[in-house]
Amino acid sequence: MMAMLQQLLGLVLILSLVEAQNSIAQNDDLLQRNGNWSIDPRASGTYSCSRRPRLVTLNPGDVATFTSPGYPSPYSSRNSCGWKFRTSQSSDLITITCSSFTVQSPSRGRCRDYLALGRGKYCGSNGPVGVTVSRYLKLWFKSDRRNNFAGFSCTATVAGTVVTTAAPVVTTAAPVVTTVAPVVSGRCVCGTVNRGSRIVGGVTTE
């Protein structure tokens, strides 16, 4: 009788676990179908140029690095790829800064190789530095069939990120006061005024 009860309890426990796992899987699938899956990983890291770039969500403090294909080696010809960024908060903006930027110089006022940032194009050695744009940004890199150059290395961050530094702690030591006791030698006490009476020129004085 006891053995049958134990088997029955074990069966009930197994069925409960299976039902709970099915419920979790159904909820996850429902969240993904409704587009409510909101767990975003930290965006700090390096992102390669892609023909079909995935959307990277930036949180305050994140630093997303993106480079030309093959950087620091020269990029190849006929590149056409990019990146997509957005901020996690609707009130935030994105700042783009390139620490290194060398692509083909413009010819007849036209960029042959370029990094497109919104409606603007950057080429030659004049890359974007501290350029702040909207909360959603698509960048695109394109190179022609001719000369290849060193390329670029840039970062995407949330504008207005404040880096705080703790103020240094200043400790002032209290001054040390040392009192030297007078030295007594015979009848003379050094450092102490002699108040004894004496006669100078027939007049009693100290």
Side-chain angles (χ1 to χ4, degrees), residues 9-159:
L9 289 174
L11 181 61
V12 170
L13 180 60
I14 292 173
L15 291 175
S16 298
L17 291 174
V18 172
E19 184 178 358
Q21 290 177 350
N22 291 335
S23 177
I24 293 173
Q26 291 175 359
N27 290 336
D28 289 348
D29 184 61
L30 180 62
L31 286 171
Q32 291 177 357
R33 287 201 306 270
N34 292 339
N36 295 326
W37 192 265
S38 59
I39 300 177
D40 292 322
R42 300 296 294 183
S44 292
T46 301
Y47 297 88
S48 59
C49 197
S50 174
R51 291 183 178 271
R52 294 183 177 180
R54 69 181 183 89
L55 184 61
V56 178
T57 300
L58 296 172
N59 295 293
D62 287 345
V63 179
T65 302
F66 59 96
T67 64
S68 54
Y71 185 87
S73 298
Y75 55 81
S76 59
S77 59
R78 295 184 177 182
N79 280 292
S80 182
C81 54
W83 307 262
K84 291 193 296 185
F85 299 103
R86 72 173 179 185
T87 61
S88 58
Q89 302 296 325
S90 60
S91 59
D92 290 334
L93 301 176
I94 299 174
T95 296
I96 301 297
T97 296
C98 293
S99 58
S100 176
F101 194 92
T102 304
V103 301
Q104 185 177 358
S105 298
S107 175
R108 298 179 182 179
R110 181 183 175 185
C111 291
R112 301 293 181 179
D113 298 353
Y114 61 83
L115 174 66
L117 194 164
R119 295 181 179 179
K121 292 181 179 179
Y122 294 86
C123 58
S125 58
N126 298 317
V129 176
V131 177
T132 299
V133 292
S134 62
R135 71 176 297 254
Y136 176 83
L137 176 63
K138 181 178 180 179
L139 300 106
W140 203 257
F141 172 63
K142 192 171 183 179
S143 62
D144 62 11
R145 295 177 297 176
R146 299 184 179 181
N147 299 326
N148 302 325
F149 292 80
F152 54 83
S153 176
C154 309
T155 58
T157 58
V158 174

